[in-house]
Amino acid sequence: MVAESNSTPRPAGAEAVPGDHPTGVAALVRLALVLVDRAGRIAQWSRAAEELFGHRAEVAHDRPASGLLPALEPLAAPDPAAGSAVRRRCDALDTLAALTADGRPWAGQLAVIDREEHLRDVFWWAWPLPDPFGGLLALAADARPLRTAGPRLALGERLLPFAAAPPARGGFHRLGAALTPPGRLRAGLLSADRLAGLLPAGSADRRALLLDVLDRAGLPALRLDPATVLPVLPADPQAAAAHAAAGLGRRYPTAQQRAARVGPPPQPEQSAPPARTVRGRPSGPLPAQRETAERSVAAQPSGAAGAPVGAPPTTPAPTAPAPAVPSATAPPPTGGGAAIEPAAAEPPARRRPPRRTDRTPAAPTGAEGAQSGRLSPFLTNGQAGEQLALLNEVGGKVGTTLDLGFTAHELCQVLVPRVADFACVDLVDGLISESELPAARPDDDTMLRRVALVYNETGGAWDHVLSEGSLVSMPRRTPPGMALQLNQPVLVPVISADVAVDYAIALGGAQLAPVVSGRSMLVVPLSARGTVLGILKLLRLPDRAPFDESDAATLKELAVRAALSLDNARLHRAEARVATTLQRSMIPTRPPQIPGVQIAHRYLPGDPKAEVGGDWFDAIQLPGSRVALVVGDVMGHGLHSAAAMGRFRTAMQTLAALDLPPGQLLRHLDNLAHKLGDDHLATCLYAVYDPINRTCELASAGHVPPVLVHPDGSGELLEIPAGAPIGVGGVPFVAKTIDVSDGSMLVLCTDGLVEVRGGDIGAGLAALCGNLIDPLQSPEQACDVVLKRLHSDDRKDDVALLVARFDGVAPSEVATWDLRVDHREVRRARSLVREQLAGWHLEALSDITELLVSELVTNAVRVARDRVQLQLIRVDKLLVEVSDDNHNLPSLEPAEQLGETGRGLTLVTKLAERWGTARKAVGKVVWFELPLPHG
């Protein structure tokens, strides 16, 4: 069945544009766009990306892409059984950059952990952008709804959407991301306009050029089965709502305003139909409320079907006659707009008794009658019992966990279908992620995120309602916006047809106008501890009695109790997020790329929910292509241990930058621990691998000894002087140097991996030394195999695992020269560099390398006492190091302070890809890197 048209017919005689008349079938998918610039920072983060991943655009924009979206990669294990044992945490955007590093696009599935710590299966399409763009363009789509309900299909030139019928065996579980063959746009098989609207903002020529780049590489598509691939076009579920809302410049009118414009309203022919039963339960209001509700509806004046109760009069337009101010005995003003629930907004003296009609007996008049009318809903035993039962059910069924989304679902499930046919909870988006409450009150720009949605499936079609996770704004002119900003319930007894579109937009889309017309709406704020967290929206179908003041009062009390549970869950989430952020900021998410060594690591918290512990690992690049490998374990668990771990790791990185021998480094770390006054003890293992000399120097502070896997597959437990844990003091740390062969693997871990409760740690170490690791495996595969064989879910201790494969650097790729402390050596250094680069066929780098080497050698000769060394290393880049025996590090000075000298580092900064300085055991080293020419 055709749902709607997503295009406008072309006027007669209009010229056709290539790609504007697509043929065949395409899939309409909600696509999120993420653009990473050439510097690795987020350049664009679309609204769909906000909804899919939870991070707001203003937060994501211009921040480093690495670390923003944690992800879980499938195992790289060779056997299928190991594929589901452990899922490695990585970074989504870093992984996409690595998958497209060869210049080709990539499409597939990559599970992402969103801002709410929920795991989302996401389809990705990624393109590396060539010059003049640079960077990475990624599109993403939520895989779960596509695989459960299937994609919407667009057919023909007008892109009429159809619903995809599931396969005969059910579901779209074989659905996957793919790429179209190149040239689909040029052939006119896809709509260029729809794809261009999704691309980053810019000039028409720039978008056209970007479209051409994507078209040449392949456009996004979905693979239904091995033989069927559908191109993907972007779909926006809120497009119709935005189009309908564009012409709404007025406020919701009251009955007086409509009467002033169009005259008296017509008389209604009949009252609301009686209540019915939904899902086997009474579907009307609470028993003693029904009589009050019927009086309230029947007492409204003619034409008040869409009136909110107790709406305050507003000033009409200047050209219209001013409405009469209602008197104390006049009927309540009514209209199609929203108003604050009168119990909260109107003094008791201004509340008016209902007017007598043919269907309703005359109500008492005077003070006695008014007082009786106010008290009767609260003194009826039947109603009081129902109210207490409902509140008691909320207390027992809402807030059973500290999960924010689950608590919101519990609230909606209690209310549907017992109280309403539709219920949704929209929370202020900032409160979900921020640990501190905002100081400002909600306004028209406040964004809400839908966290729960429950409706009666037999009560109508709600397919167009914004799904959970969607972002929506609620202006004050709408009932939800009024409830949010005034922190008061808003009651609309019956939604009239003339404002149904406006109410539908507030609910989530103009497509809901036929669904909400004639319904009764009640919006209740969710407020706790002086802060409005969000709103609860409720709808009743026409065959149930509309909401009344008694319902509003009862549900307001219910919302207060539920809001406390929601706020408790929010506070728990904020505390857990602080701990998790602290932990992740201290542990690297991606192994560094260091020449001569391949590194992989894993971290598994003892408490999977908290993800906080005291174990850490690190890989630090040192001068001379050397690398420092670190594994440590702070005794204890929880946030305090994680904080202590952060201090130890920071201190370790600082000391490693001094290039101290392992034994001296641990001694300085132990002394620093005493100065900090930290009462935590920590074990630590520090190893330095030299890929040129093929040696490894290790020192231990009471840590589990490492295992060296030789190229033949045999494992050796290295005997290193154990020492004492960091923080004990007074114990020497002795280092040991071993020779390592190319192809060897060094396995470092914490005791959580090899220690078995009630058993000896030696059993775990013996298993680790067995033929567990195949030296032909990659470090990633080795980590997966070790965790699968040795780790179990019942272990409560944290696990840190680091595996390094030593490949070494061939002697032919290294050139080292000792220079005299003489200014004439600068010319010799340039000549040596020129000859060596010619031997390596790198003449293209000769000029720039000679210039930079000349500057650094000149600086070194000026300050050195006895020795200057020049070293060139060719790996995946050209690494140049100039060392001398002076320990004072050079500094980069501002350009305006430079005279005739001192411009060497400025040139290095401008011309080198990376550069840096570091202290050595004796003296210092200044280094820079240049990329190798392609081809």
Side-chain angles (χ1 to χ4, degrees):
M1 178 181 295
V2 177
E4 61 182 75
S5 174
N6 285 342
S7 64
T8 304
R10 177 177 301 277
E15 182 181 358
V17 180
D20 197 51
H21 286 288
T23 60
V25 181
L28 294 179
V29 178
R30 177 74 163 160
L31 293 176
L33 180 140
V34 178
L35 178 63
V36 182
D37 61 20
R38 63 176 68 249
R41 309 184 78 86
I42 300 294
Q44 183 158 342
W45 189 267
S46 69
R47 175 67 172 273
E50 292 183 340
E51 297 180 357
L52 181 59
F53 304 120
H55 300 281
R56 298 298 302 277
E58 56 266 25
V59 176
H61 186 264
D62 202 35
R63 64 154 288 172
S66 179
L68 179 61
L69 289 179
L72 295 182
E73 283 188 349
L75 286 180
D79 57 305
S84 59
V86 179
R87 303 189 71 183
R88 182 171 70 91
R89 183 183 288 267
C90 62
D91 183 84
L93 297 178
D94 284 348
T95 302
L96 294 178
L99 291 170
T100 58
D102 58 355
R104 294 181 297 178
W106 180 85
Q109 182 176 346
L110 181 64
V112 172
I113 301 175
D114 64 13
R115 188 189 64 180
E116 310 307 321
E117 300 300 318
H118 296 154
L119 184 63
R120 287 182 176 269
D121 287 332
V122 177
F123 289 146
W124 288 94
W125 297 269
W127 296 266
L129 300 181
D131 293 333
F133 303 101
L136 176 73
L137 175 66
L139 299 179
D142 194 349
R144 184 179 62 85
L146 292 174
R147 283 182 168 167
T148 53
R152 298 180 66 192
L153 303 181
L155 178 63
E157 295 182 357
R158 296 184 61 194
L159 297 179
L160 301 178
F162 291 75
R169 303 199 175 186
F172 296 84
H173 61 279
R174 301 178 63 183
L175 197 69
L179 294 170
T180 65
R184 301 279 291 186
L185 290 181
R186 293 193 301 274
L189 300 178
L190 283 178
S191 173
D193 292 340
R194 294 181 67 90
L195 290 174
L198 184 68
L199 297 180
S203 64
D205 293 340
R206 181 179 177 87
R207 283 195 174 190
L209 181 59
L210 184 56
L211 266 179
D212 184 66
V213 170
L214 300 185
D215 188 35
R216 293 176 185 275
L219 297 171
L222 288 177
R223 185 179 299 277
L224 298 182
D225 54 54
T228 307
V229 175
L230 292 180
V232 169
L233 293 178
D236 188 355
Q238 300 188 52
H243 176 75
L248 297 178
R250 60 178 176 81
R251 296 179 58 88
Y252 287 85
T254 62
Q256 291 88 345
Q257 290 173 322
R258 290 208 307 272
R261 290 193 295 231
V262 300
Q267 296 288 337
E269 298 180 0
Q270 60 182 7
S271 59
R276 63 175 177 88
T277 300
V278 179
R279 289 188 179 178
R281 294 187 181 184
S283 60
L286 304 180
Q289 296 174 353
R290 297 192 182 107
E291 180 181 357
T292 304
E294 292 172 359
R295 279 204 313 271
S296 176
V297 174
Q300 295 182 9
S302 301
V309 176
T314 58
T315 304
T319 57
V325 179
S327 63
T329 59
T334 58
I340 302 175
E341 188 269 320
E346 185 178 337
R350 294 182 58 191
R351 298 173 63 187
R352 306 166 183 84
R355 188 176 64 180
R356 180 175 181 177
T357 65
D358 296 337
R359 300 281 304 271
T360 306
T365 58
E368 179 181 358
Q371 183 177 6
S372 174
R374 288 197 302 268
L375 294 180
S376 60
F378 301 96
L379 298 180
T380 305
N381 290 335
Q383 180 189 12
E386 287 284 351
Q387 290 174 341
L388 291 176
L390 179 61
L391 294 176
N392 182 64
E393 186 174 354
V394 170
K397 293 185 177 181
V398 178
T400 59
T401 69
L402 289 175
D403 183 88
L404 188 63
F406 191 79
T407 301
H409 270 280
E410 290 176 331
L411 174 60
C412 293
Q413 289 170 354
V414 167
L415 298 176
V416 177
R418 179 172 181 174
V419 176
D421 295 297
F422 173 94
C424 68
V425 173
D426 298 337
L427 299 182
V428 176
D429 186 58
L431 291 177
I432 298 178
S433 59
E434 300 296 334
S435 57
E436 295 183 0
L437 298 177
R441 295 181 61 87
D443 53 24
D444 286 358
D445 297 327
T446 300
M447 298 301 297
L448 301 178
R449 186 174 292 273
R450 184 150 298 167
V451 297
L453 171 65
V454 176
Y455 53 84
N456 185 4
E457 296 180 357
T458 63
W462 305 93
D463 296 337
H464 294 292
V465 177
L466 291 181
S467 60
E468 295 175 7
S470 301
L471 288 173
V472 61
S473 60
M474 297 294 179
R476 184 165 179 169
R477 66 176 183 268
T478 64
M482 186 181 298
L484 178 70
Q485 299 184 30
L486 299 182
N487 193 19
Q488 295 291 348
V490 174
L491 172 63
V492 184
V494 180
I495 302 175
S496 57
D498 57 341
V499 292
V501 174
D502 300 352
Y503 286 138
I505 293 174
L507 190 63
Q511 304 93 330
L512 285 174
V515 180
V516 301
S517 179
R519 273 61 168 171
S520 179
M521 174 186 286
L522 177 61
V523 186
V524 185
L526 296 170
S527 178
R529 301 179 176 95
T531 300
V532 180
L533 306 179
I535 52 176
L536 169 66
K537 287 188 283 190
L538 302 171
L539 282 178
R540 278 183 183 170
L541 296 176
D543 53 358
R544 300 177 67 168
F547 291 110
D548 60 8
E549 300 178 23
S550 181
D551 293 324
T554 301
L555 293 172
K556 181 180 180 181
E557 175 64 24
L558 180 148
V560 170
R561 300 188 181 189
L564 288 175
S565 298
L566 290 171
D567 196 46
N568 290 337
R570 179 192 64 82
L571 292 174
H572 174 75
R573 171 179 291 187
E575 294 175 359
R577 181 172 287 113
V578 168
T580 302
T581 302
L582 175 65
Q583 179 81 17
R584 291 179 181 173
S585 65
M586 298 174 181
I587 293 182
T589 58
R590 189 178 184 185
Q593 304 296 321
I594 301 176
V597 59
Q598 301 178 43
I599 300 172
H601 50 63
R602 300 287 189 274
Y603 173 77
L604 298 177
D607 183 2
K609 295 182 179 180
E611 296 191 10
V612 176
D615 293 12
W616 87 93
F617 52 85
D618 222 333
I620 307 168
Q621 188 168 4
L622 301 177
S625 290
R626 293 173 301 141
V627 57
L629 306 174
V630 187
V631 168
D633 183 4
V634 176
M635 298 182 183
H637 302 279
L639 190 59
H640 294 290
S641 296
M645 176 268 289
R647 290 192 288 269
F648 282 130
R649 180 172 182 253
T650 302
M652 180 74 74
Q653 290 178 328
T654 304
L655 294 173
L658 300 178
D659 200 10
L660 300 175
Q664 294 184 26
L665 185 142
L666 294 181
R667 165 54 54 202
H668 283 286
L669 185 63
D670 185 65
N671 294 338
L672 183 60
H674 285 281
K675 293 179 181 179
L676 293 176
D678 195 355
D679 56 353
H680 284 278
L681 300 178
T683 64
C684 181
L685 180 66
Y686 185 79
V688 176
Y689 170 63
D690 188 339
I692 297 177
N693 298 320
R694 289 165 174 76
T695 60
C696 185
E697 187 177 8
L698 308 96
S700 175
H703 197 77
V704 177
V707 173
L708 180 64
V709 181
H710 296 282
D712 59 1
S714 61
E716 175 188 358
L717 187 66
L718 299 181
E719 298 181 359
I720 304 173
I726 300 297
V728 173
V731 179
F733 300 98
V734 181
K736 180 179 180 179
T737 302
I738 61 173
D739 295 326
V740 293
S741 304
D742 291 349
S744 302
M745 283 191 180
L746 186 66
V747 181
L748 298 84
C749 66
T750 55
D751 56 2
L753 179 65
V754 295
E755 186 176 21
V756 180
R757 183 173 299 178
D760 186 6
I761 193 174
L765 290 174
L768 196 59
C769 292
N771 296 328
L772 190 62
I773 299 178
D774 184 354
L776 299 180
Q777 292 177 330
S778 67
E780 294 287 347
Q781 294 173 327
C783 285
D784 295 334
V785 171
V786 169
L787 290 178
K788 180 185 177 184
R789 301 288 179 83
L790 298 182
H791 184 261
S792 59
D793 294 336
D794 59 345
R795 298 194 179 184
K796 301 302 181 183
D797 198 5
D798 304 333
V799 172
L801 174 65
L802 189 148
V803 177
R805 179 188 179 93
F806 299 145
D807 296 329
V809 177
S812 60
E813 305 299 316
V814 181
T816 305
W817 303 279
D818 290 327
L819 306 178
R820 301 188 307 274
V821 183
D822 189 336
H823 288 284
R824 289 174 293 183
E825 290 290 86
V826 176
R827 176 179 298 179
R828 176 171 173 253
R830 289 198 297 266
S831 176
L832 293 172
V833 168
R834 186 184 312 112
E835 294 175 0
Q836 185 61 52
L837 293 181
W840 284 342
H841 304 289
L842 297 177
E843 292 87 352
L845 299 178
S846 181
D847 291 341
I848 184 173
T849 306
E850 289 182 48
L851 174 62
L852 299 184
V853 166
S854 175
E855 295 292 339
L856 296 185
V857 171
T858 300
N859 293 341
V861 169
R862 183 181 296 115
V863 299
R865 295 188 298 270
D866 300 319
R867 182 178 62 86
V868 175
Q869 186 182 75
L870 172 63
Q871 185 176 65
L872 272 64
I873 304 174
R874 183 183 67 168
V875 280
D876 57 345
K877 54 202 167 191
L878 180 63
L879 174 62
V880 181
E881 297 181 349
V882 177
S883 307
D884 62 71
D885 54 6
N886 187 294
H887 70 279
N888 293 320
L889 298 179
S891 59
L892 185 64
E893 300 294 338
E896 59 270 12
Q897 298 182 10
L898 299 177
E900 295 299 327
T901 61
R903 300 181 182 272
L905 288 184
T906 302
L907 290 175
V908 174
T909 302
K910 299 295 184 182
L911 300 179
E913 184 179 56
R914 293 176 62 238
W915 75 280
T917 63
R919 284 191 172 91
K920 303 178 67 175
V922 177
K924 68 175 181 296
V925 59
V926 182
W927 57 270
F928 65 87
E929 294 177 357
L930 294 174
L932 298 181
H934 296 290

